[in-house]
Amino acid sequence: MKTTKQLEEKLIDQGLITAEQLRQAQQEASRAQETLRQTLVRLKMIEPEVMAQWLSHELGIPRVELKSYLIDASLLGIVPEALARKHRLLPLFKLGGTLTVVIGDPLNLTALDEVRLRTGMNVEAAVATEEEIRQAMEEQYSAKGRLEEIVADLPQEKVGWSGKEPPDPRQLKGVVSDPPVVRLVNLLLTDAIRNRASDIHLEPEQELLKVRFRVDGLLREFTTLPKHLEPAVVSRIKILASLDIAERRKPQDGRFHVGMEGHEADVRVSVMPAIDGETVVLRLLDTTGLQLGLNQLGMDEEILPHYQELLKRPWGILLVTGPTGSGKTTTLYASLSSINAVERNIVTIEDPVEYRLPGVRQIPVNPAVNLTFANGLRSMLRQDPDVIMVGEIRDRETADIAIQAALTGHLVFSTLHTNDAATAITRLLDMGVEPFLVSSSLIGVVAQRLVRTICPECKAPDPRAVPTAAAKGPFFRGKGCRKCGQSGFTGRIGIFELMRMDEAMGRLTLQKASAGALKAFSAAQGMRTLREDGMKKVSAGTTALEEILRVTQEG
């Protein structure tokens, strides 16, 4: 292997750095107690990728792109986590008596010798950037890798549950404060946040406790825990949410705040008694701030300008519709943020307040003191608002007050649970709202869904997809890689249909036209349906054809 001095000279000879940069980097490396290569990258004298490729070429070792490499999880027990983190390395694969490890600094012979002594194997090096190794390390040495240690610290005798009779709540109070139980729940929360999960599901079965995460709208099984840990885990969550750990016969709801992985999150907890125990669902709401503009939602150039025009209206009702989990709140928040200005008084009433919006007065619904959507909206009108957001129109009383607010000069935002834009009008009429009030106050309806976006790391042509009239291809899909958890998708984007009210639509509303007739008229006027908007994103390679077919329906 070439000496460090020889490599330093080559960096200068090949024009990657100057002699003066080398001198500065050597001084800084000595001061910061890090390797010269780490200093060169940190000071941005050399890009991380360039350094990795250069080391690979000069040392004759493989350059491994960890983002698409499947690490053999069985080797994680061979190299302890503490040793891996100390030297920023990971075991890749074992061939006979030789272990190959990936390391950011393959010239760190001390690290390779320590692995050799710990494993008793020959050790060969491969190189990756330190950031790639850090990310892979966080994924590999996660809760899955440490659960076995924690479970071993919680034998059935310690938890005190035989599986026949519920454990004594007094005994549980002591167990749930034990470090192993605390670590276990913290690890579940940490891994959920790390995996971008919106929900954690704890599902009791006869012989085990199943843990699932909802990621990008779909549930994935994360792990299973021994049945005897169920009371301790559930009780720990109940204590965090200020719930009664002795109550197992009726549903309970609570919430708590958690800060980890650089995120602040509100956790809404729902506990429901089931046949094999208590089912727990935790909804994770990231409160670090919703940094999302209208142009990031997924509205393209054919929809966004028309929607922005509606946001500039001085009064009227603008509805966002779709099922639970379709991104309605995100759209409303992005809309409010886009028109938020010191000259406007914006007030919201929500159940619950999911994200904090600077400069906006946000009021949470509180049934305990009779602060409902209707009562809150009535009181908000005495706060001299310019813009009002009502989390959801659930009944005629709320609808009537919202319409009166719009007709008296306020811009009102709200949501409805309907399948498409046209059905929002018929839903208001079904609530008992007079047709002339709907036609004179409603300015537009947005229907939306969320679809998963194809993972950019494993994106490839999809030969299975069959062309349609709306999307002729080429089609793409994600093959599955480490970054996307083998799903082929990372993240989500919205698909939309925007129905704007005009005189003709108002006349149809006064005639109590059916949702089908309203939709057909809007489509004839140029409205793009949810499926059509989705097919456009398929053609652009943003999402897969199967995703659009999954979340939309014809007719």
Side-chain angles (χ1 to χ4, degrees):
M1 183 176 283
K2 298 175 183 177
T3 66
T4 299
K5 187 174 181 180
Q6 287 175 322
L7 289 170
E8 290 171 357
E9 291 172 352
K10 278 208 165 191
L11 285 170
I12 298 173
D13 293 342
Q14 295 175 10
L16 293 174
I17 59 172
T18 65
E20 176 59 22
Q21 285 177 318
L22 176 61
R23 186 187 64 78
Q24 293 176 1
Q26 287 172 330
Q27 291 179 347
E28 175 61 18
S30 177
R31 185 197 66 79
Q33 295 185 328
E34 61 186 8
T35 69
L36 177 66
R37 288 156 298 285
Q38 289 172 327
T39 302
L40 289 169
V41 169
R42 179 168 62 82
L43 296 181
K44 298 184 178 178
M45 294 179 178
I46 296 180
E47 291 297 318
E49 177 60 32
V50 173
M51 176 61 80
Q53 292 285 8
W54 184 79
L55 284 170
S56 170
H57 179 266
E58 292 298 323
L59 299 177
I61 61 176
R63 160 69 171 106
V64 177
E65 295 188 3
L66 285 174
K67 60 188 178 184
S68 58
Y69 192 94
L70 289 177
I71 293 174
D72 186 350
S74 66
L75 297 179
L76 297 177
I78 295 178
V79 179
E81 180 180 355
L83 177 60
R85 291 188 181 276
K86 175 183 176 183
H87 295 301
R88 297 185 180 91
L89 58 84
L90 275 173
L92 279 182
F93 58 86
K94 181 169 69 75
L95 188 60
T98 300
L99 177 68
T100 298
V101 299
V102 62
I103 186 170
D105 183 11
L107 290 171
N108 188 346
L109 300 181
T110 300
L112 299 178
D113 285 340
E114 194 168 340
V115 174
R116 187 177 294 111
L117 289 171
R118 181 63 66 95
T119 63
M121 304 173 70
N122 296 323
V123 177
E124 293 184 353
V127 66
T129 69
E130 295 212 355
E131 177 60 20
E132 288 174 340
I133 293 174
R134 186 195 65 78
Q135 290 181 357
M137 195 173 293
E138 290 304 317
E139 293 176 6
Q140 297 300 323
Y141 292 109
S142 62
K144 283 185 178 180
R146 287 176 277 177
L147 276 175
E148 290 183 5
E149 299 176 17
I150 297 174
V151 171
D153 288 338
L154 289 167
Q156 189 163 316
E157 306 77 42
K158 185 173 183 179
V159 176
W161 186 40
S162 65
K164 297 177 182 178
E165 295 296 329
D168 188 332
R170 290 170 296 183
Q171 183 178 358
L172 272 177
K173 281 186 178 179
V175 173
V176 297
S177 299
D178 276 359
V181 177
V182 174
R183 286 175 58 213
L184 175 56
V185 173
N186 286 349
L187 281 170
L188 293 177
L189 289 167
T190 302
D191 256 51
I193 291 172
R194 183 181 293 135
N195 283 280
R196 301 178 295 105
S198 60
D199 303 83
I200 303 173
H201 288 239
L202 304 179
E203 301 166 340
E205 297 185 359
Q206 276 190 315
E207 304 296 333
L208 52 85
L209 178 65
K210 183 188 294 183
V211 181
R212 296 199 289 173
F213 292 166
R214 187 176 294 280
V215 180
D216 293 335
L218 296 180
L219 283 170
R220 302 179 186 173
E221 185 166 326
F222 172 66
T223 191
T224 57
L225 298 174
K227 184 69 172 178
H228 72 267
L229 292 184
E230 178 193 320
V233 172
V234 172
S235 296
R236 173 65 186 169
I237 293 170
K238 284 183 176 180
I239 286 177
L240 289 172
S242 302
L243 302 179
D244 184 359
I245 68 170
E247 179 56 70
R248 302 187 184 91
R249 299 168 300 172
K250 64 181 182 181
Q252 296 188 73
D253 296 309
R255 65 192 308 160
F256 62 92
H257 188 80
V258 64
M260 55 181 62
E261 295 286 309
H263 291 262
E264 297 291 322
D266 275 332
V267 184
R268 289 158 53 187
V269 179
S270 172
V271 183
M272 177 75 70
I275 190 170
D276 290 313
E278 290 180 283
T279 298
V280 182
V281 177
L282 298 91
R283 167 66 58 88
L284 306 177
L285 301 172
D286 193 336
T287 59
T288 52
L290 189 69
Q291 306 298 324
L292 199 62
L294 281 175
N295 59 346
Q296 296 172 282
L297 296 176
M299 292 186 188
D300 65 15
E301 69 282 354
E302 292 186 27
I303 297 178
L304 183 57
H306 299 296
Y307 184 69
Q308 290 174 319
E309 187 274 325
L310 293 177
L311 297 181
K312 294 176 183 177
R313 299 281 186 92
W315 61 270
I317 294 181
L318 183 58
L319 295 176
V320 181
T321 75
T324 301
S326 59
K328 299 188 298 295
T329 301
T330 300
T331 297
L332 286 178
Y333 280 13
S335 302
L336 291 178
S337 295
S338 72
I339 62 173
N340 191 9
V342 67
E343 298 85 8
R344 282 194 177 99
N345 181 21
I346 302 177
V347 187
T348 75
I349 181 162
E350 307 170 56
D351 184 22
V353 174
E354 295 192 12
Y355 302 99
R356 306 288 178 87
L357 293 177
V360 175
R361 264 58 60 194
Q362 295 174 269
I363 302 165
V365 165
N366 187 354
V369 293
N370 200 30
L371 180 54
T372 61
F373 278 125
N375 291 338
L377 179 55
R378 197 177 283 111
S379 298
M380 283 163 57
L381 292 173
R382 296 192 285 270
Q383 292 281 307
D384 187 31
D386 298 296
V387 180
I388 294 169
M389 186 188 96
V390 185
E392 183 184 349
I393 292 178
R394 296 176 178 172
D395 51 44
R396 178 176 177 178
E397 183 182 14
T398 306
D400 283 340
I401 301 170
I403 286 171
Q404 290 304 318
L407 293 175
T408 53
H410 303 87
L411 183 59
V412 181
F413 295 85
S414 193
T415 69
L416 277 176
H417 287 283
T418 64
N419 288 326
D420 56 26
T423 309
I425 293 178
T426 57
R427 177 65 55 83
L428 290 174
L429 298 179
D430 289 343
M431 286 181 181
V433 179
E434 293 294 336
F436 76 91
L437 291 175
V438 176
S439 64
S440 57
S441 62
L442 190 64
I443 60 175
V445 183
V446 175
Q448 69 177 78
R449 299 289 189 277
L450 291 178
V451 296
R452 295 179 295 170
T453 53
I454 298 171
C455 174
E457 302 297 336
C458 60
K459 184 176 179 179
D462 185 1
R464 305 169 304 170
V466 178
T468 68
K472 300 184 184 302
F475 301 106
F476 296 90
R477 66 183 180 92
K479 295 187 295 184
C481 65
R482 185 179 58 80
K483 182 176 181 180
C484 63
Q486 307 303 319
S487 70
F489 299 94
T490 53
R492 290 189 290 177
I493 195 170
I495 59 172
F496 301 88
E497 65 180 32
L498 173 62
M499 187 182 73
R500 291 177 294 166
M501 290 293 287
D502 55 19
E503 289 186 11
M505 284 291 291
R507 287 194 294 272
L508 286 174
T509 302
L510 288 172
Q511 297 166 12
K512 295 185 178 182
S514 68
L518 293 168
K519 184 172 184 176
F521 179 81
S522 295
Q525 297 296 108
M527 181 188 77
R528 186 196 299 164
T529 66
L530 283 167
R531 176 161 288 192
E532 289 169 345
D533 189 44
M535 289 302 184
K536 188 169 183 180
K537 290 178 172 64
V538 170
S539 297
T542 303
T543 188
L545 180 61
E546 64 196 59
E547 271 294 284
I548 303 303
L549 298 179
R550 179 178 67 86
V551 303
T552 63
Q553 60 184 13
E554 295 280 17

